[in-house]
Amino acid sequence: MSKTVQIQDERLARQQNALGAVGYWMVTALQAVALAVKLLLGASLRFCILDLAVLAVGVAGMVLVRTRNGLWGQKDEALREIDQAGLAKVFMVQFFLILIGEFLLFFLDEANLIWSLPYLPVWIIPALYVMIRGYRSGLYTYGTKKAET
């Protein structure tokens, strides 16, 4: 069985990674705010586990990417692109962790639905940012001249 490899323009990959890196910082910051709000409102630890897991995955992923590639304090453009690619992957892991966790909390614990609501802005705001910026820059218009140039 042969595996087909799709060739991707490295300029498009760079743009996607840059958007993903910004999305990483947005999710991490919004998740920290959501956790702080939950704690201020008196949520039990049971309702904060997903918040802590998302933050732990995000911080551990960033530390792993930067340590593995020796990127701490580096200002080189190529190394920054490697960092953005790693953060974009961590962003996707965080994003899907939030979606799956929110889905489980939403449908498995309907009595405490209020504690799953802070997850909505945590994934909606970065998703809209990445989607809108991607469309405006022509990133998701495959097959047109704007995406290829």
Side-chain angles (χ1 to χ4, degrees), residues 16-132:
Q16 286 174 338
N17 291 336
L19 285 174
V22 171
Y24 165 81
W25 291 111
M26 290 176 76
V27 164
T28 303
L30 288 169
Q31 192 65 61
V33 169
L35 178 61
V37 167
K38 280 184 176 183
L39 292 174
L40 287 174
L41 293 176
S44 68
L45 183 62
R46 171 179 105 149
F47 300 114
C48 297
I49 290 176
L50 180 60
D51 302 85
L52 294 170
V54 170
L55 289 172
V57 164
V59 170
M62 179 193 61
V63 168
L64 181 69
V65 165
R66 289 186 174 178
T67 302
R68 186 186 65 192
N69 296 320
L71 300 174
W72 293 104
Q74 300 294 328
K75 302 293 183 198
D76 185 34
E77 183 71 26
L79 294 177
R80 196 177 91 223
E81 289 176 15
I82 293 170
D83 185 42
Q84 287 178 342
L87 290 180
K89 289 177 183 157
V90 175
F91 165 64
M92 292 310 296
V93 171
Q94 284 181 307
F95 186 80
F96 286 112
L97 182 63
I98 292 169
L99 285 180
I100 292 168
E102 181 183 18
F103 177 80
L104 291 174
L105 284 175
F106 190 78
F107 289 108
L108 296 179
D109 193 7
E110 292 178 9
N112 295 304
L113 184 63
I114 191 77
W115 296 116
S116 65
L117 294 179
Y119 296 113
L120 291 174
V122 171
W123 68 266
I124 288 176
I125 293 171
L128 286 174
Y129 172 80
V130 169
M131 185 179 67
I132 291 169

